[in-house]
Coordinates of all heavy atoms in Angstrom, one line a residue:
M1 N -16.5 -3.8 14.9 CA -15.4 -3.7 14.1 C -14.2 -3.1 15.0 O -14.5 -2.1 15.7 CB -15.7 -2.8 12.9 CG -14.6 -2.7 11.9 SD -15.0 -1.7 10.5 CE -15.7 -3.0 9.5
T2 N -13.1 -3.7 14.9 CA -11.9 -3.3 15.8 C -11.2 -2.1 15.1 O -11.4 -1.9 13.9 CB -10.9 -4.5 16.0 OG1 -10.3 -4.8 14.8 CG2 -11.6 -5.6 16.7
T3 N -10.3 -1.4 15.9 CA -9.5 -0.4 15.3 C -8.7 -0.9 14.1 O -8.6 -0.2 13.1 CB -8.6 0.3 16.3 OG1 -9.5 0.7 17.4 CG2 -7.8 1.4 15.8
T4 N -8.1 -2.1 14.3 CA -7.3 -2.7 13.2 C -8.1 -2.9 11.9 O -7.6 -2.6 10.8 CB -6.6 -4.0 13.7 OG1 -5.9 -3.8 14.9 CG2 -5.8 -4.6 12.7
E5 N -9.3 -3.4 12.1 CA -10.2 -3.7 11.0 C -10.6 -2.4 10.3 O -10.6 -2.3 9.0 CB -11.5 -4.4 11.4 CG -11.2 -5.9 11.7 CD -12.4 -6.5 12.4 OE1 -13.3 -5.7 13.0 OE2 -12.5 -7.7 12.4
I6 N -10.8 -1.3 11.1 CA -11.2 0.0 10.5 C -10.0 0.6 9.7 O -10.1 1.0 8.6 CB -11.6 0.9 11.6 CG1 -12.9 0.5 12.2 CG2 -11.7 2.4 11.1 CD1 -13.4 1.3 13.5
N7 N -8.7 0.5 10.3 CA -7.6 0.9 9.7 C -7.3 0.1 8.4 O -6.9 0.8 7.4 CB -6.4 0.9 10.6 CG -6.4 1.9 11.7 OD1 -7.0 2.8 11.5 ND2 -5.6 1.7 12.7
A8 N -7.5 -1.1 8.4 CA -7.2 -2.0 7.2 C -8.3 -1.6 6.2 O -7.9 -1.6 5.0 CB -7.3 -3.4 7.6
T9 N -9.5 -1.4 6.6 CA -10.5 -1.0 5.5 C -10.2 0.3 4.9 O -10.2 0.5 3.7 CB -11.9 -0.9 6.2 OG1 -12.2 -2.2 6.8 CG2 -13.0 -0.5 5.2
G10 N -9.7 1.3 5.7 CA -9.3 2.6 5.2 C -8.1 2.5 4.3 O -8.1 3.1 3.2
M11 N -7.1 1.7 4.7 CA -5.9 1.5 3.9 C -6.2 0.8 2.6 O -5.7 0.9 1.6 CB -4.8 0.8 4.7 CG -4.2 1.5 5.8 SD -3.7 3.3 5.3 CE -2.4 2.9 4.2
D12 N -7.2 -0.2 2.7 CA -7.7 -0.9 1.4 C -8.2 0.1 0.4 O -7.9 0.0 -0.7 CB -8.8 -1.9 1.9 CG -9.1 -2.8 0.7 OD1 -8.3 -3.5 0.2 OD2 -10.4 -2.7 0.3
Q13 N -9.0 1.1 0.9 CA -9.5 2.1 0.0 C -8.3 3.0 -0.6 O -8.3 3.3 -1.7 CB -10.5 3.0 0.7 CG -11.8 2.2 1.0 CD -12.7 3.0 1.9 OE1 -12.3 4.1 2.3 NE2 -13.9 2.5 2.1
I14 N -7.4 3.3 0.3 CA -6.2 4.1 -0.2 C -5.4 3.4 -1.2 O -5.1 3.9 -2.3 CB -5.3 4.5 1.0 CG1 -6.1 5.6 1.9 CG2 -4.0 5.0 0.5 CD1 -5.4 5.9 3.2
F15 N -5.1 2.1 -1.0 CA -4.3 1.3 -2.0 C -5.1 1.0 -3.2 O -4.6 0.8 -4.2 CB -3.7 0.1 -1.2 CG -2.5 0.4 -0.4 CD1 -2.6 0.4 1.0 CD2 -1.4 1.0 -1.0 CE1 -1.5 0.8 1.8 CE2 -0.3 1.4 -0.2 CZ -0.4 1.3 1.1
S16 N -6.4 0.9 -3.0 CA -7.2 0.7 -4.2 C -7.2 1.9 -5.1 O -7.0 1.8 -6.4 CB -8.7 0.5 -3.8 OG -9.5 0.3 -4.9
N17 N -7.2 3.1 -4.6 CA -7.0 4.4 -5.3 C -5.5 4.4 -5.9 O -5.4 4.8 -7.0 CB -7.2 5.6 -4.4 CG -8.6 5.7 -4.2 OD1 -9.5 5.3 -5.0 ND2 -9.0 6.3 -3.1
Y18 N -4.5 4.0 -5.1 CA -3.1 3.9 -5.6 C -3.1 3.1 -6.9 O -2.5 3.5 -7.9 CB -2.2 3.3 -4.5 CG -1.5 4.2 -3.6 CD1 -2.0 5.5 -3.3 CD2 -0.4 3.8 -3.0 CE1 -1.3 6.3 -2.4 CE2 0.3 4.6 -2.1 CZ -0.1 5.9 -1.8 OH 0.6 6.7 -0.9
L19 N -3.6 1.9 -6.8 CA -3.6 1.0 -7.9 C -4.4 1.6 -9.1 O -3.8 1.5 -10.2 CB -4.2 -0.4 -7.5 CG -4.2 -1.4 -8.5 CD1 -2.7 -1.8 -9.0 CD2 -4.7 -2.7 -8.0
A20 N -5.5 2.2 -8.9 CA -6.2 2.8 -9.9 C -5.4 3.9 -10.6 O -5.4 4.0 -11.9 CB -7.5 3.4 -9.5
I21 N -4.6 4.7 -9.9 CA -3.7 5.7 -10.5 C -2.6 5.0 -11.3 O -2.3 5.4 -12.4 CB -3.2 6.6 -9.3 CG1 -4.2 7.5 -8.8 CG2 -2.0 7.4 -9.9 CD1 -3.9 8.2 -7.5
V22 N -1.9 4.0 -10.6 CA -0.9 3.3 -11.3 C -1.4 2.7 -12.6 O -0.7 2.6 -13.6 CB -0.3 2.2 -10.4 CG1 0.7 1.2 -11.1 CG2 0.5 2.8 -9.2
L23 N -2.6 2.1 -12.6 CA -3.1 1.5 -13.9 C -3.6 2.5 -14.9 O -4.0 2.1 -15.9 CB -4.2 0.5 -13.5 CG -3.7 -0.7 -12.6 CD1 -5.0 -1.6 -12.3 CD2 -2.7 -1.5 -13.3
G24 N -3.7 3.7 -14.5 CA -4.2 4.7 -15.4 C -5.7 4.9 -15.4 O -6.2 5.6 -16.2
E25 N -6.4 4.3 -14.4 CA -7.8 4.5 -14.3 C -8.2 5.7 -13.7 O -9.4 6.2 -13.8 CB -8.4 3.3 -13.4 CG -8.1 1.9 -14.1 CD -8.4 0.7 -13.2 OE1 -8.7 1.0 -12.0 OE2 -8.3 -0.4 -13.7
K26 N -7.4 6.3 -13.0 CA -7.6 7.6 -12.2 C -6.4 8.5 -12.6 O -5.3 8.1 -12.8 CB -7.7 7.5 -10.7 CG -8.9 6.9 -10.2 CD -9.0 7.0 -8.7 CE -10.4 6.4 -8.2 NZ -10.5 6.7 -6.8
S27 N -6.7 9.8 -12.6 CA -5.7 10.8 -12.9 C -4.8 11.0 -11.6 O -5.2 10.9 -10.5 CB -6.2 12.1 -13.4 OG -7.0 12.6 -12.4
V28 N -3.6 11.4 -11.9 CA -2.6 11.7 -10.7 C -3.0 13.0 -10.2 O -3.3 13.9 -10.9 CB -1.2 11.7 -11.3 CG1 -0.2 12.0 -10.2 CG2 -0.8 10.4 -11.9
P29 N -3.0 13.1 -8.8 CA -3.4 14.4 -8.3 C -2.4 15.5 -8.7 O -1.3 15.3 -8.9 CB -3.2 14.2 -6.7 CG -3.3 12.7 -6.6 CD -2.8 12.1 -7.8
R30 N -2.9 16.7 -9.0 CA -2.1 17.8 -9.5 C -1.4 18.4 -8.4 O -1.8 19.4 -7.7 CB -3.0 18.8 -10.2 CG -3.6 18.2 -11.4 CD -4.4 19.3 -12.1 NE -5.0 18.7 -13.3 CZ -5.3 19.3 -14.4 NH1 -5.0 20.5 -14.5 NH2 -5.9 18.7 -15.4
K31 N -0.2 17.9 -8.1 CA 0.7 18.5 -7.0 C 2.1 18.4 -7.6 O 2.4 17.5 -8.2 CB 0.6 17.8 -5.7 CG -0.7 18.0 -5.0 CD -0.7 17.5 -3.6 CE -2.1 17.7 -3.0 NZ -2.1 17.3 -1.6
R32 N 2.9 19.4 -7.2 CA 4.3 19.5 -7.7 C 5.0 18.2 -7.2 O 5.1 17.9 -6.0 CB 4.9 20.7 -7.2 CG 6.2 21.0 -7.8 CD 6.7 22.3 -7.3 NE 7.8 22.8 -8.1 CZ 8.4 23.9 -8.0 NH1 8.0 24.8 -7.0 NH2 9.4 24.3 -8.7
G33 N 5.8 17.6 -8.1 CA 6.6 16.4 -7.8 C 5.8 15.1 -7.6 O 6.4 14.1 -7.4
V34 N 4.5 15.1 -7.9 CA 3.7 13.9 -7.8 C 3.5 13.3 -9.2 O 3.1 14.1 -10.1 CB 2.4 14.1 -7.1 CG1 1.5 12.9 -7.2 CG2 2.6 14.7 -5.7
N35 N 3.9 12.0 -9.4 CA 3.6 11.5 -10.7 C 3.2 10.0 -10.5 O 3.2 9.4 -9.4 CB 4.9 11.6 -11.6 CG 6.1 11.0 -11.0 OD1 6.0 9.9 -10.3 ND2 7.2 11.7 -11.1
R36 N 2.9 9.4 -11.6 CA 2.4 7.9 -11.5 C 3.5 7.0 -11.0 O 3.2 6.1 -10.3 CB 2.0 7.5 -12.9 CG 1.2 6.3 -12.9 CD 0.6 5.9 -14.3 NE -0.1 7.0 -15.0 CZ -1.3 7.5 -14.7 NH1 -2.0 7.0 -13.7 NH2 -1.8 8.5 -15.4
K37 N 4.7 7.3 -11.3 CA 5.9 6.5 -10.9 C 6.0 6.5 -9.3 O 6.2 5.5 -8.7 CB 7.2 6.9 -11.5 CG 8.4 6.2 -11.0 CD 9.1 5.4 -12.0 CE 10.4 4.8 -11.6 NZ 10.3 3.8 -10.5
L38 N 5.7 7.7 -8.7 CA 5.8 7.8 -7.3 C 4.7 6.9 -6.6 O 5.0 6.2 -5.6 CB 5.5 9.3 -6.9 CG 5.5 9.6 -5.4 CD1 6.9 9.5 -4.8 CD2 4.9 11.0 -5.2
F39 N 3.5 6.9 -7.2 CA 2.5 6.1 -6.7 C 2.9 4.5 -6.8 O 2.6 3.8 -6.0 CB 1.1 6.4 -7.3 CG 0.5 7.6 -6.8 CD1 0.8 8.8 -7.3 CD2 -0.4 7.5 -5.7 CE1 0.2 9.9 -6.8 CE2 -1.0 8.6 -5.2 CZ -0.7 9.9 -5.7
Q40 N 3.4 4.2 -8.0 CA 3.8 2.9 -8.3 C 4.9 2.4 -7.3 O 4.8 1.3 -6.8 CB 4.2 2.7 -9.7 CG 4.6 1.2 -10.0 CD 4.9 1.0 -11.4 OE1 4.8 2.0 -12.3 NE2 5.3 -0.2 -11.8
D41 N 5.9 3.3 -7.1 CA 6.9 2.9 -6.1 C 6.4 2.7 -4.7 O 6.8 1.8 -4.0 CB 8.0 4.0 -6.2 CG 8.8 4.1 -7.4 OD1 8.7 3.1 -8.2 OD2 9.5 5.0 -7.7
S42 N 5.5 3.6 -4.3 CA 5.0 3.5 -3.0 C 4.1 2.1 -2.9 O 4.3 1.4 -1.8 CB 4.0 4.6 -2.7 OG 3.4 4.6 -1.5
L43 N 3.3 1.8 -3.8 CA 2.5 0.6 -3.8 C 3.4 -0.6 -3.8 O 3.2 -1.5 -2.9 CB 1.6 0.6 -5.0 CG 0.6 -0.6 -5.1 CD1 -0.4 -0.4 -4.1 CD2 0.0 -0.6 -6.5
N44 N 4.5 -0.6 -4.6 CA 5.5 -1.7 -4.6 C 6.2 -1.9 -3.3 O 6.4 -3.0 -2.8 CB 6.5 -1.5 -5.7 CG 5.9 -1.8 -7.1 OD1 4.8 -2.4 -7.2 ND2 6.5 -1.3 -8.1
L45 N 6.5 -0.7 -2.6 CA 7.3 -0.7 -1.3 C 6.4 -1.5 -0.3 O 6.9 -2.4 0.4 CB 7.5 0.6 -0.8 CG 8.0 0.8 0.6 CD1 9.4 0.4 0.7 CD2 7.9 2.2 1.0
Y46 N 5.2 -1.1 -0.2 CA 4.2 -1.7 0.8 C 3.9 -3.2 0.5 O 3.9 -4.0 1.4 CB 3.0 -0.9 1.1 CG 3.2 0.4 1.8 CD1 3.1 1.6 1.1 CD2 3.6 0.4 3.1 CE1 3.4 2.8 1.8 CE2 3.8 1.6 3.8 CZ 3.7 2.8 3.1 OH 3.9 3.9 3.8
A47 N 3.7 -3.5 -0.8 CA 3.4 -4.8 -1.1 C 4.6 -5.7 -0.9 O 4.5 -6.8 -0.4 CB 3.0 -4.9 -2.6
S48 N 5.9 -5.2 -1.2 CA 7.1 -6.0 -0.9 C 7.3 -6.3 0.6 O 7.7 -7.3 1.0 CB 8.3 -5.2 -1.4 OG 8.3 -5.1 -2.8
A49 N 6.9 -5.3 1.4 CA 7.0 -5.5 2.9 C 6.1 -6.6 3.4 O 6.4 -7.1 4.4 CB 6.6 -4.1 3.5
S50 N 5.1 -6.9 2.6 CA 4.3 -8.0 3.0 C 4.8 -9.4 2.5 O 4.2 -10.4 2.9 CB 2.9 -7.9 2.5 OG 2.8 -8.1 1.1
G51 N 5.8 -9.4 1.7 CA 6.4 -10.6 1.2 C 5.8 -11.0 -0.2 O 6.1 -12.0 -0.7
A52 N 5.0 -10.1 -0.8 CA 4.4 -10.4 -2.1 C 5.4 -10.0 -3.2 O 6.4 -9.5 -3.0 CB 3.2 -9.5 -2.3
R53 N 5.1 -10.4 -4.4 CA 5.9 -10.1 -5.6 C 5.1 -9.0 -6.3 O 4.3 -9.3 -7.3 CB 6.1 -11.3 -6.4 CG 6.9 -12.3 -5.8 CD 7.2 -13.5 -6.7 NE 8.0 -14.5 -6.0 CZ 8.0 -15.8 -6.3 NH1 7.2 -16.2 -7.2 NH2 8.8 -16.6 -5.7
P54 N 5.2 -7.8 -6.0 CA 4.4 -6.7 -6.4 C 4.5 -6.5 -8.0 O 3.4 -6.2 -8.6 CB 4.9 -5.4 -5.7 CG 6.2 -5.8 -5.2 CD 6.2 -7.2 -5.0
N55 N 5.6 -6.6 -8.6 CA 5.7 -6.4 -10.0 C 4.9 -7.5 -10.8 O 4.3 -7.1 -11.8 CB 7.2 -6.4 -10.4 CG 7.9 -5.2 -10.0 OD1 7.3 -4.1 -9.8 ND2 9.2 -5.3 -9.8
E56 N 4.9 -8.7 -10.4 CA 4.2 -9.8 -11.0 C 2.7 -9.5 -10.8 O 1.9 -9.6 -11.8 CB 4.5 -11.1 -10.4 CG 5.9 -11.6 -10.9 CD 6.3 -12.9 -10.2 OE1 5.4 -13.7 -9.7 OE2 7.5 -13.2 -10.2
L57 N 2.3 -9.1 -9.6 CA 0.9 -8.9 -9.3 C 0.4 -7.6 -10.2 O -0.6 -7.6 -10.7 CB 0.6 -8.6 -7.9 CG 0.8 -9.8 -7.0 CD1 0.6 -9.5 -5.5 CD2 -0.3 -10.9 -7.4
L58 N 1.3 -6.7 -10.3 CA 0.9 -5.4 -11.0 C 0.7 -5.7 -12.4 O -0.2 -5.3 -13.1 CB 2.0 -4.3 -10.7 CG 1.8 -3.0 -11.4 CD1 0.4 -2.4 -10.8 CD2 2.9 -2.0 -11.1
K59 N 1.6 -6.5 -13.0 CA 1.5 -6.9 -14.4 C 0.2 -7.6 -14.7 O -0.5 -7.4 -15.7 CB 2.7 -7.7 -14.9 CG 4.0 -7.0 -15.1 CD 5.1 -7.8 -15.5 CE 6.4 -7.0 -15.5 NZ 7.6 -7.8 -15.7
A60 N -0.1 -8.6 -13.8 CA -1.4 -9.3 -13.9 C -2.6 -8.4 -13.8 O -3.6 -8.5 -14.5 CB -1.4 -10.4 -12.9
A61 N -2.5 -7.5 -12.8 CA -3.6 -6.5 -12.6 C -3.8 -5.6 -13.9 O -4.9 -5.3 -14.3 CB -3.4 -5.6 -11.4
Q62 N -2.7 -5.2 -14.5 CA -2.7 -4.4 -15.7 C -3.3 -5.1 -16.8 O -4.0 -4.6 -17.7 CB -1.3 -3.9 -16.1 CG -0.7 -2.9 -15.1 CD 0.7 -2.5 -15.3 OE1 1.5 -3.4 -15.8 NE2 1.1 -1.3 -15.1
S63 N -3.2 -6.5 -16.8 CA -3.8 -7.3 -17.9 C -5.3 -7.6 -17.6 O -5.9 -8.3 -18.4 CB -3.0 -8.6 -18.1 OG -3.2 -9.4 -17.0
G64 N -5.8 -7.1 -16.5 CA -7.2 -7.2 -16.2 C -7.6 -8.3 -15.3 O -8.7 -8.6 -15.0
D65 N -6.6 -8.9 -14.6 CA -6.8 -10.0 -13.7 C -7.4 -9.4 -12.3 O -6.6 -8.8 -11.5 CB -5.6 -10.8 -13.4 CG -5.8 -12.0 -12.6 OD1 -6.7 -12.1 -11.7 OD2 -5.0 -13.0 -12.7
A66 N -8.7 -9.6 -12.1 CA -9.2 -9.1 -10.8 C -8.7 -9.7 -9.6 O -8.5 -9.0 -8.5 CB -10.8 -9.4 -10.8
N67 N -8.3 -11.0 -9.6 CA -7.7 -11.6 -8.4 C -6.4 -11.0 -8.1 O -6.0 -10.8 -6.9 CB -7.6 -13.1 -8.7 CG -8.9 -13.8 -8.6 OD1 -9.8 -13.4 -7.9 ND2 -9.0 -14.9 -9.4
A68 N -5.6 -10.7 -9.1 CA -4.2 -10.1 -8.9 C -4.4 -8.7 -8.3 O -3.7 -8.3 -7.5 CB -3.5 -10.0 -10.2
R69 N -5.4 -8.0 -8.7 CA -5.7 -6.7 -8.2 C -6.0 -6.8 -6.7 O -5.5 -6.0 -5.9 CB -6.9 -6.0 -9.0 CG -7.2 -4.7 -8.6 CD -8.5 -4.2 -9.4 NE -8.7 -2.8 -9.2 CZ -8.5 -1.9 -10.0 NH1 -8.0 -2.2 -11.2 NH2 -8.6 -0.6 -9.7
R70 N -6.9 -7.7 -6.4 CA -7.2 -7.9 -4.9 C -6.0 -8.3 -4.1 O -5.8 -7.8 -3.0 CB -8.3 -8.9 -4.8 CG -9.8 -8.3 -5.1 CD -10.9 -9.3 -4.6 NE -10.9 -10.5 -5.4 CZ -11.5 -10.7 -6.6 NH1 -12.1 -9.6 -7.1 NH2 -11.5 -11.8 -7.2
L71 N -5.2 -9.2 -4.7 CA -4.0 -9.7 -4.0 C -3.1 -8.5 -3.7 O -2.4 -8.4 -2.7 CB -3.4 -10.8 -4.7 CG -4.0 -12.2 -4.6 CD1 -3.5 -13.1 -5.6 CD2 -3.9 -12.7 -3.2
L72 N -2.8 -7.6 -4.8 CA -1.9 -6.6 -4.7 C -2.4 -5.6 -3.6 O -1.6 -5.1 -2.8 CB -1.8 -5.9 -6.1 CG -0.8 -4.7 -6.1 CD1 0.7 -5.2 -5.7 CD2 -0.7 -4.2 -7.5
I73 N -3.6 -5.3 -3.6 CA -4.2 -4.3 -2.6 C -4.0 -5.0 -1.1 O -3.6 -4.3 -0.3 CB -5.6 -4.0 -2.9 CG1 -5.7 -3.2 -4.2 CG2 -6.3 -3.3 -1.7 CD1 -7.2 -3.0 -4.7
S74 N -4.4 -6.2 -1.0 CA -4.3 -6.9 0.3 C -2.7 -7.0 0.7 O -2.5 -6.7 1.9 CB -4.8 -8.4 0.2 OG -6.1 -8.4 -0.1
A75 N -1.9 -7.2 -0.2 CA -0.5 -7.3 0.1 C 0.0 -5.9 0.5 O 0.8 -5.7 1.5 CB 0.4 -7.7 -1.1
A76 N -0.4 -4.8 -0.2 CA 0.0 -3.5 0.2 C -0.6 -3.1 1.6 O 0.2 -2.5 2.5 CB -0.5 -2.4 -0.8
V77 N -1.8 -3.5 1.9 CA -2.4 -3.2 3.2 C -1.6 -4.0 4.3 O -1.3 -3.4 5.4 CB -3.9 -3.6 3.3 CG1 -4.4 -3.5 4.7 CG2 -4.7 -2.6 2.4
S78 N -1.3 -5.2 4.0 CA -0.5 -6.0 5.0 C 0.9 -5.4 5.2 O 1.4 -5.4 6.3 CB -0.3 -7.5 4.4 OG 0.4 -8.2 5.3
G79 N 1.5 -5.0 4.1 CA 2.8 -4.3 4.2 C 2.8 -3.0 5.0 O 3.7 -2.8 5.9
W80 N 1.7 -2.3 4.8 CA 1.6 -1.0 5.6 C 1.4 -1.3 7.0 O 2.0 -0.8 8.0 CB 0.3 -0.3 5.1 CG -0.1 0.8 5.9 CD1 0.6 2.1 6.0 CD2 -1.1 0.9 7.0 NE1 -0.1 2.9 6.9 CE2 -1.0 2.2 7.6 CE3 -1.9 -0.1 7.5 CZ2 -1.9 2.5 8.6 CZ3 -2.8 0.3 8.5 CH2 -2.8 1.6 9.1
R81 N 0.5 -2.4 7.3 CA 0.3 -2.8 8.8 C 1.6 -3.3 9.4 O 2.0 -2.8 10.5 CB -0.7 -3.8 8.8 CG -1.2 -4.1 10.3 CD -2.3 -5.1 10.3 NE -2.0 -6.3 9.7 CZ -2.8 -6.8 8.7 NH1 -3.9 -6.3 8.3 NH2 -2.4 -8.0 8.2
R82 N 2.4 -4.1 8.7 CA 3.6 -4.5 9.3 C 4.7 -3.4 9.6 O 5.4 -3.4 10.5 CB 4.3 -5.5 8.3 CG 3.7 -6.9 8.3 CD 4.3 -7.9 7.5 NE 3.6 -9.0 7.3 CZ 4.0 -10.2 6.8 NH1 5.3 -10.2 6.3 NH2 3.3 -11.2 6.7
Q83 N 4.8 -2.5 8.6 CA 5.7 -1.3 8.7 C 5.3 -0.5 9.9 O 6.1 0.0 10.7 CB 5.8 -0.5 7.5 CG 6.6 -1.3 6.4 CD 6.9 -0.4 5.3 OE1 6.3 0.6 5.0 NE2 8.0 -0.8 4.5
T84 N 4.0 -0.3 10.1 CA 3.4 0.5 11.1 C 3.7 -0.2 12.5 O 4.1 0.5 13.4 CB 1.9 0.7 11.0 OG1 1.7 1.4 9.7 CG2 1.4 1.6 12.0
E85 N 3.4 -1.5 12.5 CA 3.7 -2.2 13.9 C 5.2 -2.1 14.2 O 5.5 -2.0 15.4 CB 3.2 -3.6 13.7 CG 1.7 -3.8 13.7 CD 1.2 -5.2 13.3 OE1 2.1 -6.0 12.9 OE2 0.0 -5.4 13.4
S86 N 6.0 -2.3 13.2 CA 7.5 -2.2 13.4 C 7.9 -0.8 14.0 O 8.6 -0.8 15.0 CB 8.3 -2.5 12.1 OG 9.6 -2.4 12.4
A87 N 7.3 0.2 13.4 CA 7.7 1.5 13.8 C 7.2 1.8 15.2 O 7.9 2.3 16.1 CB 7.1 2.6 12.8
L88 N 6.0 1.4 15.5 CA 5.5 1.5 16.9 C 6.3 0.7 17.9 O 6.6 1.2 19.0 CB 4.0 1.1 17.0 CG 3.0 2.0 16.3 CD1 1.6 1.4 16.2 CD2 2.9 3.3 16.9
F89 N 6.7 -0.6 17.5 CA 7.5 -1.3 18.4 C 8.9 -0.6 18.7 O 9.3 -0.5 19.8 CB 7.8 -2.7 17.8 CG 8.6 -3.6 18.6 CD1 8.0 -4.1 19.8 CD2 9.9 -3.9 18.4 CE1 8.8 -4.9 20.7 CE2 10.7 -4.6 19.2 CZ 10.1 -5.2 20.3
T90 N 9.4 -0.1 17.7 CA 10.7 0.7 17.9 C 10.5 1.8 18.8 O 11.4 2.1 19.6 CB 11.3 1.1 16.4 OG1 11.4 -0.1 15.6 CG2 12.6 1.8 16.6
Q91 N 9.5 2.6 18.6 CA 9.2 3.7 19.4 C 9.0 3.3 20.9 O 9.4 4.0 21.8 CB 8.1 4.6 18.9 CG 8.4 5.3 17.6 CD 7.2 6.0 17.0 OE1 6.1 6.0 17.5 NE2 7.4 6.7 16.0
S92 N 8.2 2.2 21.1 CA 7.9 1.8 22.4 C 9.2 1.3 23.1 O 9.4 1.4 24.3 CB 6.9 0.7 22.4 OG 7.4 -0.5 21.8
E93 N 10.1 0.7 22.4 CA 11.4 0.3 23.0 C 12.2 1.5 23.5 O 12.7 1.4 24.6 CB 12.3 -0.4 21.9 CG 11.9 -1.9 21.7 CD 12.9 -2.5 20.8 OE1 13.5 -1.9 19.8 OE2 13.2 -3.7 20.9
G94 N 12.1 2.5 22.8 CA 12.8 3.8 23.2 C 12.2 4.3 24.5 O 12.9 4.8 25.4
L95 N 10.8 4.2 24.7 CA 10.3 4.6 25.9 C 10.6 3.7 27.1 O 10.8 4.2 28.3 CB 8.7 4.5 25.8 CG 8.1 5.6 24.8 CD1 6.6 5.3 24.5 CD2 8.4 7.0 25.3
I96 N 10.7 2.4 26.8 CA 11.1 1.5 27.9 C 12.6 1.7 28.4 O 12.9 1.6 29.6 CB 11.0 0.0 27.4 CG1 9.5 -0.3 27.2 CG2 11.6 -1.0 28.4 CD1 9.2 -1.6 26.5
N97 N 13.4 2.1 27.5 CA 14.9 2.2 27.8 C 15.2 3.7 28.4 O 16.3 4.0 28.6 CB 15.8 2.0 26.5 CG 15.6 0.6 26.0 OD1 15.5 -0.2 26.8 ND2 15.8 0.4 24.7
V98 N 14.1 4.5 28.6 CA 14.4 5.8 29.1 C 14.9 5.7 30.6 O 14.5 4.9 31.4 CB 13.0 6.7 29.1 CG1 13.3 8.0 29.8 CG2 12.7 6.9 27.7

């Protein structure tokens, strides 16, 4: 298993938990300023970064569609990976231009 596969597996579990919180299957962690909307916004942000339509997938997942649930989690993991790669590329450009 490569580092990317390990990271994707870990992020899959994180976003699976995010989705469970957004769907009300898990309780929101008890921390000041943390609420279900925060988790939903975060999940939507990463899913959007992958090119998915997170609101449509979320509605389908809420209605019990297991395929929509898997697609939303995959989209969020893909979005996270793209944003991470972009951030690393930007940082590496700064090192080259030194």
Side-chain angles (χ1 to χ4, degrees):
M1 188 174 273
T2 67
T3 303
T4 303
E5 290 170 332
I6 292 169
N7 287 341
T9 301
M11 291 311 294
D12 186 62
Q13 291 172 354
I14 289 169
F15 284 111
S16 181
N17 286 332
Y18 266 23
L19 185 56
I21 290 168
V22 169
L23 296 177
E25 299 168 354
K26 286 187 174 188
S27 60
V28 178
R30 294 181 184 214
K31 291 188 177 183
R32 190 176 195 173
V34 176
N35 57 41
R36 195 172 312 284
K37 175 116 174 66
L38 179 70
F39 282 88
Q40 183 174 355
D41 290 348
S42 176
L43 186 67
N44 287 341
L45 170 75
Y46 287 111
S48 294
S50 75
R53 294 183 178 153
N55 289 332
E56 291 176 14
L57 290 175
L58 186 57
K59 286 178 186 172
Q62 287 170 329
S63 69
D65 186 335
N67 287 329
R69 185 184 188 105
R70 282 192 293 274
L71 284 171
L72 185 58
I73 293 168
S74 294
V77 171
S78 174
W80 170 81
R81 188 174 58 236
R82 286 183 188 191
Q83 287 190 338
T84 303
E85 288 170 353
S86 176
L88 288 172
F89 180 74
T90 301
Q91 290 176 356
S92 67
E93 279 185 328
L95 292 173
I96 292 170
N97 295 329
V98 171

